[in-house]
Amino acid sequence: RMTSSFKSAPASQFMFGVECPRNELVIRLQPKEEIYIKTNVKTPGFSSAPIQSELAVEYISHFGRNLRTPDAYSRLILDVLRGRSAGFVRSDELEESWRVFTPLLHHLESEGVKPEIYKQGTRGPPHDEKVEEWGYRRNEEYVYFDGEVVLKSKI
């Protein structure tokens, strides 16, 4: 899953009395292909408090649940059999990638840097101050809508 977080809304504190969560574009490749944008909307009813919701396109809901899609490796093998090379990296690209990343990999190995382990299916590692330094702020109130309404927000 890839998530792109947008900048904070500049006047949300003034307009709503609270800072709105950042809008995010989320792309999930497998196992359930989907693209959605998390955006702030007005809470239903008389409240004007913002709440995050999503505008989503699921591959399976668009093309049907009975559609069988091959996994990524099956598709690559089929491309090889058909003589198509568009999905593959050229040799000069591969060599340049190794030239750029080898020093980084050596540094990570020499410093003993270990990846943070987190439970599959979660939103990633627990809160990290380093991530905030980079400008990302997680909205802990957000709950993904997956068929039934779940609100964590205080409305």
Side-chain angles (χ1 to χ4, degrees):
R1 184 168 85 168
M2 298 171 286
T3 302
S4 180
S5 180
F6 297 98
K7 291 182 179 180
S8 297
S12 66
Q13 184 75 34
F14 173 74
M15 290 175 62
F16 303 110
V18 297
E19 188 172 336
C20 288
R22 291 180 174 187
N23 295 334
E24 295 180 355
L25 175 65
V26 181
I27 301 171
R28 182 172 40 209
L29 299 177
Q30 283 189 348
K32 201 171 104 174
E33 295 84 354
E34 176 178 43
I35 182 170
Y36 61 95
I37 187 161
K38 291 173 16 182
T39 187
N40 295 296
V41 297
K42 181 189 150 312
T43 303
F46 293 112
S47 173
S48 61
I51 186 171
Q52 252 187 348
S53 184
E54 56 281 322
L55 175 62
V57 176
E58 290 180 306
Y59 194 81
I60 198 164
S61 66
H62 188 75
F63 292 106
R65 297 205 179 276
N66 296 327
L67 179 68
R68 289 186 40 144
T69 57
D71 65 21
Y73 292 110
S74 298
R75 184 65 196 209
L76 285 174
I77 292 169
L78 182 60
D79 284 348
V80 167
L81 295 173
R82 290 180 174 166
R84 296 181 183 162
S85 61
F88 299 92
V89 177
R90 293 189 330 253
S91 61
D92 59 331
E93 289 178 283
L94 185 59
E95 288 173 16
E96 183 64 11
S97 296
W98 279 114
R99 187 192 68 74
V100 169
F101 284 103
T102 298
L104 173 64
L105 295 172
H106 286 305
H107 174 74
L108 293 174
E109 187 175 35
S110 68
E111 295 293 319
V113 176
K114 301 285 184 207
E116 280 197 53
I117 307 298
Y118 57 93
K119 186 177 177 187
Q120 180 180 355
T122 64
R123 295 179 68 192
H127 177 71
D128 184 359
E129 284 131 25
K130 200 64 153 167
V131 174
E132 278 190 5
E133 286 179 29
W134 300 331
Y136 177 76
R137 277 183 258 139
R138 180 181 290 185
N139 175 15
E140 298 296 342
E141 297 294 317
Y142 174 76
V143 176
Y144 179 71
F145 176 77
D146 197 15
E148 72 179 65
V149 176
V150 179
L151 296 176
K152 270 177 95 175
S153 294
K154 300 152 189 76
I155 45 178

